[in-house]
Amino acid sequence: HQTININPLWAEYIIQHSKLILEWYKFNLIVFLQTRNPSTPNIPFKVDSSLVTRSLVTQTKVWNFACIHNHSLAFDIYLNQEITPSSVITHGTLSLDHVIPFDFVMHNELWNLTPMHKNLNSEKSNHLPQLTHVERFVDLQYSFYKTVQTFHPFSSNKHPLQDYEYLNPLLHHSNYDVHFDDFSKILTNQIISLHTIAFNQGFDMWK
Protein backbone atom coordinates (compact mmCIF):
# COMPACT_ATOMS: atom_id res chain seq x y z
CA HIS A 1 0.00 0.00 0.00
CA GLN A 2 1.23 3.48 -0.81
CA THR A 3 0.89 6.16 1.82
CA ILE A 4 1.33 9.92 1.98
CA ASN A 5 3.01 11.25 5.09
CA ILE A 6 1.98 14.78 6.05
CA ASN A 7 3.82 16.95 8.49
CA PRO A 8 1.64 17.27 11.65
CA LEU A 9 1.64 21.05 11.30
CA TRP A 10 0.37 20.81 7.72
CA ALA A 11 -2.20 18.20 8.76
CA GLU A 12 -3.54 20.57 11.40
CA TYR A 13 -3.65 23.42 8.88
CA ILE A 14 -5.54 21.30 6.32
CA ILE A 15 -8.10 20.21 8.90
CA GLN A 16 -8.67 23.76 10.16
CA HIS A 17 -8.97 25.22 6.65
CA SER A 18 -10.61 22.29 4.84
CA LYS A 19 -13.58 24.37 3.67
CA LEU A 20 -11.34 27.06 2.20
CA ILE A 21 -9.18 24.46 0.46
CA LEU A 22 -12.25 22.73 -0.97
CA GLU A 23 -13.60 26.00 -2.37
CA TRP A 24 -10.17 26.76 -3.89
CA TYR A 25 -10.21 23.32 -5.49
CA LYS A 26 -13.73 23.82 -6.88
CA PHE A 27 -12.82 27.23 -8.30
CA ASN A 28 -9.79 25.88 -10.15
CA LEU A 29 -11.73 22.84 -11.34
CA ILE A 30 -14.44 25.13 -12.75
CA VAL A 31 -11.86 27.27 -14.54
CA PHE A 32 -10.24 24.14 -15.98
CA LEU A 33 -13.53 22.64 -17.17
CA GLN A 34 -14.96 25.90 -18.53
CA THR A 35 -11.79 26.62 -20.51
CA ARG A 36 -11.97 23.22 -22.19
CA ASN A 37 -15.76 23.12 -22.58
CA PRO A 38 -16.76 26.68 -23.57
CA SER A 39 -20.09 25.59 -25.07
CA THR A 40 -21.30 23.77 -21.95
CA PRO A 41 -23.64 25.92 -19.84
CA ASN A 42 -23.52 26.44 -16.07
CA ILE A 43 -20.47 24.36 -15.23
CA PRO A 44 -20.27 25.83 -11.68
CA PHE A 45 -23.68 24.30 -10.92
CA LYS A 46 -22.55 20.95 -12.33
CA VAL A 47 -19.51 20.96 -10.03
CA ASP A 48 -21.63 21.89 -7.01
CA SER A 49 -25.30 21.00 -7.54
CA SER A 50 -26.20 22.43 -4.11
CA LEU A 51 -26.02 25.89 -5.73
CA VAL A 52 -29.22 25.29 -7.73
CA THR A 53 -32.66 23.91 -6.92
CA ARG A 54 -34.78 21.55 -8.99
CA SER A 55 -38.00 22.86 -7.45
CA LEU A 56 -40.51 24.18 -9.99
CA VAL A 57 -43.00 25.57 -7.47
CA THR A 58 -42.61 29.19 -8.59
CA GLN A 59 -42.61 28.34 -12.29
CA THR A 60 -45.68 26.13 -11.90
CA LYS A 61 -47.57 28.98 -10.23
CA VAL A 62 -46.81 31.23 -13.20
CA TRP A 63 -47.91 28.59 -15.72
CA ASN A 64 -51.10 27.84 -13.77
CA PHE A 65 -51.87 31.57 -13.65
CA ALA A 66 -51.34 31.86 -17.41
CA CYS A 67 -53.57 28.83 -18.06
CA ILE A 68 -56.41 30.50 -16.16
CA HIS A 69 -56.27 33.43 -18.60
CA ASN A 70 -55.52 31.31 -21.66
CA HIS A 71 -56.87 27.76 -21.50
CA SER A 72 -55.06 26.77 -24.69
CA LEU A 73 -51.76 26.84 -22.76
CA ALA A 74 -52.68 23.57 -21.03
CA PHE A 75 -51.25 21.70 -23.98
CA ASP A 76 -48.92 18.72 -24.23
CA ILE A 77 -46.60 19.33 -27.20
CA TYR A 78 -45.37 15.73 -27.16
CA LEU A 79 -48.86 14.25 -27.55
CA ASN A 80 -49.97 17.24 -29.62
CA GLN A 81 -53.17 17.54 -27.61
CA GLU A 82 -54.76 19.58 -24.85
CA ILE A 83 -54.40 18.48 -21.25
CA THR A 84 -58.00 17.69 -20.30
CA PRO A 85 -59.73 15.86 -17.43
CA SER A 86 -59.96 12.73 -19.57
CA SER A 87 -56.29 12.87 -20.67
CA VAL A 88 -55.26 13.38 -17.05
CA ILE A 89 -56.92 10.07 -16.14
CA THR A 90 -54.82 8.31 -18.78
CA HIS A 91 -51.50 10.17 -18.63
CA GLY A 92 -51.41 11.96 -15.27
CA THR A 93 -51.84 15.56 -14.15
CA LEU A 94 -50.20 18.63 -15.65
CA SER A 95 -46.51 19.05 -14.80
CA LEU A 96 -43.68 21.12 -16.24
CA ASP A 97 -40.97 19.56 -18.36
CA HIS A 98 -37.45 20.83 -19.02
CA VAL A 99 -37.35 20.60 -22.82
CA ILE A 100 -33.54 20.56 -22.69
CA PRO A 101 -32.82 18.36 -19.63
CA PHE A 102 -32.19 20.03 -16.30
CA ASP A 103 -28.96 18.07 -15.81
CA PHE A 104 -27.58 19.84 -18.88
CA VAL A 105 -28.86 23.41 -18.48
CA MET A 106 -28.93 23.36 -14.64
CA HIS A 107 -31.67 25.99 -14.39
CA ASN A 108 -35.47 26.34 -14.32
CA GLU A 109 -35.86 29.33 -16.64
CA LEU A 110 -39.33 29.60 -18.14
CA TRP A 111 -38.20 29.65 -21.77
CA ASN A 112 -37.08 26.00 -21.42
CA LEU A 113 -40.27 24.73 -19.76
CA THR A 114 -43.44 23.29 -21.23
CA PRO A 115 -46.53 21.61 -19.75
CA MET A 116 -46.95 17.89 -20.24
CA HIS A 117 -48.69 14.98 -18.56
CA LYS A 118 -46.92 13.89 -15.39
CA ASN A 119 -46.65 10.20 -16.29
CA LEU A 120 -45.06 11.02 -19.64
CA ASN A 121 -42.79 13.57 -17.98
CA SER A 122 -41.44 10.82 -15.73
CA GLU A 123 -40.94 8.64 -18.79
CA LYS A 124 -39.10 11.38 -20.68
CA SER A 125 -36.92 11.95 -17.63
CA ASN A 126 -33.48 13.24 -18.65
CA HIS A 127 -33.87 12.65 -22.38
CA LEU A 128 -33.85 15.10 -25.25
CA PRO A 129 -37.03 15.56 -27.31
CA GLN A 130 -37.20 14.97 -31.04
CA LEU A 131 -36.62 18.24 -32.91
CA THR A 132 -40.01 17.78 -34.59
CA HIS A 133 -41.55 19.09 -31.35
CA VAL A 134 -39.67 22.40 -31.42
CA GLU A 135 -42.13 24.26 -33.66
CA ARG A 136 -45.10 23.44 -31.40
CA PHE A 137 -43.00 24.31 -28.37
CA VAL A 138 -42.11 27.75 -29.72
CA ASP A 139 -45.74 28.45 -30.68
CA LEU A 140 -46.87 27.57 -27.15
CA GLN A 141 -44.06 29.59 -25.59
CA TYR A 142 -45.00 32.72 -27.54
CA SER A 143 -48.62 32.39 -26.44
CA PHE A 144 -47.46 31.92 -22.85
CA TYR A 145 -45.11 34.90 -23.06
CA LYS A 146 -47.82 37.24 -24.38
CA THR A 147 -50.36 36.00 -21.85
CA VAL A 148 -48.08 36.60 -18.86
CA GLN A 149 -47.02 39.94 -20.31
CA THR A 150 -50.66 41.03 -20.57
CA PHE A 151 -52.07 39.71 -17.29
CA HIS A 152 -49.06 39.60 -14.97
CA PRO A 153 -50.16 40.58 -11.43
CA PHE A 154 -47.06 39.55 -9.52
CA SER A 155 -45.49 42.03 -7.11
CA SER A 156 -42.08 40.36 -6.71
CA ASN A 157 -38.96 42.28 -7.70
CA LYS A 158 -38.22 39.81 -10.48
CA HIS A 159 -40.74 39.76 -13.31
CA PRO A 160 -41.42 36.16 -14.47
CA LEU A 161 -40.49 37.08 -18.03
CA GLN A 162 -37.07 38.29 -16.98
CA ASP A 163 -35.82 34.80 -17.86
CA TYR A 164 -36.40 35.65 -21.52
CA GLU A 165 -34.30 38.81 -21.31
CA TYR A 166 -31.25 36.60 -20.71
CA LEU A 167 -31.79 35.17 -24.19
CA ASN A 168 -32.11 38.52 -25.91
CA PRO A 169 -32.77 42.09 -24.66
CA LEU A 170 -35.49 42.34 -27.31
CA LEU A 171 -37.59 40.03 -25.14
CA HIS A 172 -37.77 42.50 -22.25
CA HIS A 173 -41.10 42.10 -20.44
CA SER A 174 -41.95 45.76 -21.05
CA ASN A 175 -41.57 45.41 -24.82
CA TYR A 176 -45.11 44.78 -26.04
CA ASP A 177 -44.02 44.91 -29.67
CA VAL A 178 -42.26 41.54 -29.70
CA HIS A 179 -43.40 39.88 -32.92
CA PHE A 180 -43.73 36.14 -33.30
CA ASP A 181 -41.08 35.92 -36.02
CA ASP A 182 -38.45 37.54 -33.79
CA PHE A 183 -39.46 35.51 -30.75
CA SER A 184 -39.45 32.29 -32.78
CA LYS A 185 -36.02 32.91 -34.27
CA ILE A 186 -34.43 33.68 -30.88
CA LEU A 187 -35.95 30.73 -29.01
CA THR A 188 -35.60 28.20 -31.85
CA ASN A 189 -31.92 29.00 -32.28
CA GLN A 190 -31.34 28.67 -28.54
CA ILE A 191 -33.14 25.34 -28.21
CA ILE A 192 -31.56 23.76 -31.28
CA SER A 193 -28.09 24.94 -30.26
CA LEU A 194 -28.42 23.48 -26.75
CA HIS A 195 -30.06 20.33 -28.12
CA THR A 196 -27.10 19.73 -30.46
CA ILE A 197 -24.50 20.25 -27.73
CA ALA A 198 -26.36 18.07 -25.22
CA PHE A 199 -26.77 15.27 -27.78
CA ASN A 200 -23.07 15.42 -28.63
CA GLN A 201 -22.27 15.15 -24.93
CA GLY A 202 -24.22 11.91 -24.59
CA PHE A 203 -27.81 12.86 -23.71
CA ASP A 204 -30.16 10.31 -25.29
CA MET A 205 -33.16 11.07 -27.48
CA TRP A 206 -36.71 10.39 -26.34
CA LYS A 207 -39.36 9.07 -28.70
Side-chain angles (χ1 to χ4, degrees):
H1 296 286
Q2 295 181 339
T3 60
I4 298 176
N5 295 317
I6 300 177
N7 184 292
L9 294 177
W10 272 111
E12 182 180 355
Y13 177 89
I14 291 171
I15 293 172
Q16 290 181 354
H17 300 88
S18 59
K19 184 175 181 181
L20 178 64
I21 294 171
L22 178 60
E23 294 304 317
W24 174 85
Y25 160 77
K26 287 180 179 178
F27 171 78
N28 284 278
L29 177 60
I30 289 168
V31 171
F32 174 84
L33 293 173
Q34 193 71 74
T35 301
R36 287 157 180 78
N37 301 275
S39 60
T40 301
N42 291 328
I43 284 181
F45 299 129
K46 292 180 170 68
V47 173
D48 188 353
S49 60
S50 66
L51 297 173
V52 65
T53 177
R54 286 178 176 265
S55 173
L56 290 170
V57 171
T58 300
Q59 292 80 0
T60 300
K61 286 181 179 178
V62 178
W63 266 98
N64 286 339
F65 163 81
C67 287
I68 291 173
H69 292 276
N70 185 349
H71 299 303
S72 67
L73 292 175
F75 190 87
D76 190 323
I77 63 168
Y78 303 112
L79 290 179
N80 194 23
Q81 69 176 52
E82 293 182 6
I83 300 175
T84 64
S86 59
S87 71
V88 163
I89 295 174
T90 304
H91 302 294
T93 58
L94 183 152
S95 66
L96 290 181
D97 169 60
H98 293 84
V99 175
I100 305 299
F102 176 87
D103 283 354
F104 180 73
V105 296
M106 297 299 288
H107 65 64
N108 297 320
E109 293 182 7
L110 287 167
W111 56 262
N112 186 47
L113 300 176
T114 189
M116 71 180 298
H117 294 85
K118 187 174 183 178
N119 295 351
L120 294 176
N121 197 353
S122 298
E123 181 184 316
K124 177 176 178 286
S125 184
N126 219 26
H127 292 82
L128 291 163
Q130 299 289 335
L131 289 176
T132 52
H133 299 302
V134 172
E135 184 176 349
R136 283 196 298 271
F137 169 67
V138 172
D139 288 345
L140 188 68
Q141 273 281 327
Y142 182 72
S143 182
F144 168 77
Y145 177 90
K146 299 304 288 186
T147 300
V148 174
Q149 189 178 51
T150 301
F151 295 104
H152 170 254
F154 305 98
S155 57
S156 61
N157 292 330
K158 179 184 176 182
H159 193 286
L161 297 183
Q162 186 173 324
D163 289 350
Y164 295 83
E165 298 170 29
Y166 302 146
L167 295 182
N168 191 301
L170 177 67
L171 304 184
H172 193 279
H173 66 268
S174 64
N175 180 9
Y176 287 84
D177 294 324
V178 176
H179 298 293
F180 174 77
D181 288 346
D182 295 327
F183 183 94
S184 176
K185 182 178 180 180
I186 292 168
L187 185 55
T188 299
N189 288 343
Q190 178 75 359
I191 293 297
I192 291 179
S193 175
L194 291 174
H195 189 286
T196 301
I197 298 169
F199 181 76
N200 289 338
Q201 292 189 5
F203 282 82
D204 294 327
M205 298 287 289
W206 191 51
K207 62 181 182 180

